[in-house]
Amino acid sequence: MMRVILILSFVLISCGETINSEGVLERWPSGVIKKERTHLSIDTFKVNHYHEDFKLYMTGNAFYLEGKEVKHGTWKSFYPDGRMWSLSNWNLGVEDGEYKTWHTNGNLNISGFYSNGVRTGKWTFYNTDGEVVKEYDSTPLN
């Protein structure tokens, strides 16, 4: 019976998505993890960066291109207290898509859009009270 349970467990585990941890890449001088990576698929991995107190600082997916770590997809950054600091989108290492940052009080700071690494469309800047202080259209002129 025990052998059947072990074999069944192995089959169930091997049928799921394989996620192999690549582990710790960097540590703070205190020994706390600064950067770690977890393998998600053949060429994609999740990257987590941490503040010195081991609270999450930045997270997103990446892959290697010509020996360099390249961001791909949505990346998020956080203040030490855990509140969102920024959100950006990447396509093959180039900012592409929605971009936002927040003040330390949680109110929106900047809202805009990147298209293939270039600011485009309406960009809005807010003060700490959430009031618009500046708006402009950054679409490049051709």
Side-chain angles (χ1 to χ4, degrees):
M1 179 68 172
M2 185 61 136
R3 182 180 294 173
V4 171
I5 292 172
L6 287 173
I7 292 171
L8 184 58
S9 297
F10 177 76
V11 169
L12 290 174
I13 290 170
S14 65
C15 289
E17 180 181 27
T18 303
I19 299 178
N20 300 316
S21 176
E22 293 187 8
V24 176
L25 300 177
E26 294 179 53
R27 290 187 181 273
W28 289 99
S30 65
V32 171
I33 296 172
K34 183 175 185 179
K35 181 179 180 181
E36 69 180 351
R37 183 170 36 231
T38 304
H39 188 89
L40 298 175
S41 66
I42 294 173
D43 61 351
T44 305
F45 47 87
K46 182 175 190 75
V47 181
N48 289 327
H49 296 262
Y50 297 93
H51 293 281
E52 278 193 85
D53 61 1
F54 198 63
K55 290 184 180 175
L56 188 61
Y57 165 63
M58 184 186 322
T59 185
N61 292 345
F63 62 92
Y64 276 111
L65 181 64
E66 297 176 1
K68 293 183 182 179
E69 187 177 288
V70 175
K71 293 179 179 180
H72 191 73
T74 300
W75 277 71
K76 297 177 181 178
S77 298
F78 304 89
Y79 286 107
D81 67 4
R83 282 189 266 178
M84 182 80 81
W85 176 73
S86 72
L87 177 137
S88 57
N89 289 280
W90 297 79
N91 184 23
L92 305 175
V94 177
E95 281 191 281
D96 193 51
E98 181 181 31
Y99 174 86
K100 289 184 177 182
T101 64
W102 288 265
H103 291 285
T104 54
N105 67 4
N107 287 339
L108 196 56
N109 180 20
I110 300 171
S111 176
F113 194 86
Y114 280 94
S115 180
N116 200 27
V118 177
R119 285 183 180 189
T120 188
K122 183 172 87 171
W123 280 70
T124 307
F125 298 80
Y126 305 84
N127 65 18
T128 56
D129 295 325
E131 299 166 344
V132 174
V133 294
K134 183 177 182 180
E135 251 181 355
Y136 65 91
D137 185 346
S138 64
T139 303
L141 301 174
N142 292 334

